[in-house]
Amino acid sequence: MPKSYMVGNWKMNQTLSEIEDFFSKLKLTSNQNNFWIAPQAVHISTCINLAMKAGVLIGAQNCSANEFGAYTGESAIDSLTELGCHFSIIGHSERRSLYGESNEDINKKVLACIKKGLVPILCIGETLSQRENGETKDVVLFQLEQGLKDVELNNESELIIAYEPVWAIGTGKSASSAQAEEVHQQIRRLLNDKFGATGDEISILYGGSVKPTNVEELLSMPNVNGGLVGGASLKADSFVALCNACSK
Ligand code: PGA
């Protein structure tokens, strides 16, 4: 059985006082190092200190595929791991659409993360028009294949996949559990073709308007192994509810 994760993607949100308030209220009952948060890069150090007591692991929302060098505005994987980051979200739809990240860029980041021991959460997902045109499977599996080009794994914990339909992100309109499971099964098949038995153990998260009211239904699907959550991860009580659902 793949491990279940609840991952908060804070995007470009949270002030320092909101972060302190969040961690002071965070009381998690069960934890197997599977509750993760990705704050803004400038808040990573602060969050690592505060999250340690709460048992939450911290990661980045993005990283550079390059070694140290002249790359203004970027974060090196070595610097992120030196701080104590555990993972990085890679290829989020906002990075693809707002910052022009290509499948090739994303593949380089995935390869660099795995090489350096930072767990990549590779995000893939179709737009509304792609879904309406019946292209969901082709789009999602193409992004997955390209993102995983030349990737080799020693074990399943080195990689996480997040299926995030673009039309469900930040819209309040989640995919139904059946829609999510259908795509997760297609992802699972490709992971199995590529990685054999290890592919059956890789966690596939669902993201897009996950909240305490729909999380249990989504997580009841056999191939939905957790959530990547934006809006509903910003408040402690809501994040705790999501983590509790993930522990059941
Ligand atoms: P949302 O965002 O939960 O606010 O829809 C999810 C994401 O972008 O990862």
Side-chain angles (χ1 to χ4, degrees):
M1 273 273 283
K3 187 166 171 172
S4 291
Y5 293 91
M6 195 50 63
V7 183
N9 172 12
W10 281 359
K11 310 194 180 186
M12 203 171 76
N13 292 302
Q14 305 284 54
T15 63
L16 275 177
S17 64
E18 285 167 342
I19 290 172
E20 278 162 17
D21 185 58
F22 178 95
F23 283 108
S24 72
K25 290 181 178 152
L26 198 64
K27 302 278 178 288
L28 296 166
T29 44
S30 127
N31 192 346
Q32 279 138 23
N33 285 336
N34 57 339
F35 304 142
W36 296 1
I37 287 175
Q40 295 184 65
V42 287
H43 289 147
I44 286 174
S45 281
T46 303
C47 286
I48 284 176
N49 289 332
L50 294 170
M52 213 134 36
K53 265 193 258 145
V56 169
L57 299 180
I58 298 298
Q61 298 174 11
N62 181 32
C63 64
S64 171
N66 295 308
E67 299 290 337
F68 288 117
Y71 302 101
T72 303
E74 294 287 285
S75 302
I77 294 174
D78 284 339
S79 302
L80 294 170
T81 52
E82 192 175 38
L83 282 180
C85 276
H86 196 74
F87 68 96
S88 178
I89 298 171
I90 301 288
H92 188 279
S93 76
E94 288 149 21
R95 300 294 318 167
R96 293 176 188 260
S97 66
L98 302 175
Y99 301 98
E101 283 191 18
S102 66
N103 284 316
E104 198 187 353
D105 299 328
I106 289 161
N107 175 240
K108 285 189 191 142
K109 293 183 185 192
V110 169
L111 287 167
C113 281
I114 292 173
K115 185 170 155 208
K116 290 173 179 288
L118 192 68
V119 180
I121 302 181
L122 170 60
C123 300
I124 52 180
E126 81 288 0
T127 62
L128 184 59
S129 64
Q130 289 166 334
R131 175 163 281 266
E132 286 172 347
N133 290 336
E135 296 165 4
T136 299
K137 182 179 176 188
D138 287 350
V139 168
V140 168
L141 295 189
F142 183 74
Q143 289 175 346
L144 187 61
E145 257 169 33
Q146 298 291 303
L148 294 180
K149 200 159 163 271
D150 299 329
V151 167
E152 287 173 20
L153 298 176
N154 293 314
N155 65 67
E156 67 277 5
S157 62
E158 291 176 320
L159 171 70
I160 293 178
I161 307 297
Y163 168 56
E164 297 205 305
V166 178
W167 48 271
I169 295 177
T171 59
K173 188 180 181 305
S174 162
S176 68
S177 54
Q179 284 173 321
E181 175 64 15
E182 185 184 5
V183 179
H184 282 225
Q185 275 178 19
Q186 292 158 353
I187 295 171
R188 177 70 66 210
R189 261 179 239 125
L190 190 149
L191 293 175
N192 177 275
D193 284 349
K194 192 169 168 65
F195 300 116
T198 302
D200 295 331
E201 300 299 322
I202 294 171
S203 301
I204 309 172
L205 314 184
Y206 167 78
S209 297
V210 177
K211 44 199 168 225
T213 49
N214 63 14
V215 67
E216 287 192 24
E217 168 69 19
L218 286 160
L219 294 181
S220 70
M221 297 290 118
N223 286 289
V224 178
N225 315 120
L228 177 56
V229 188
S233 72
L234 292 168
K235 293 269 180 284
D237 55 349
S238 169
F239 188 65
V240 167
L242 295 169
C243 292
N244 288 343
C246 186
S247 306
K248 279 186 188 161

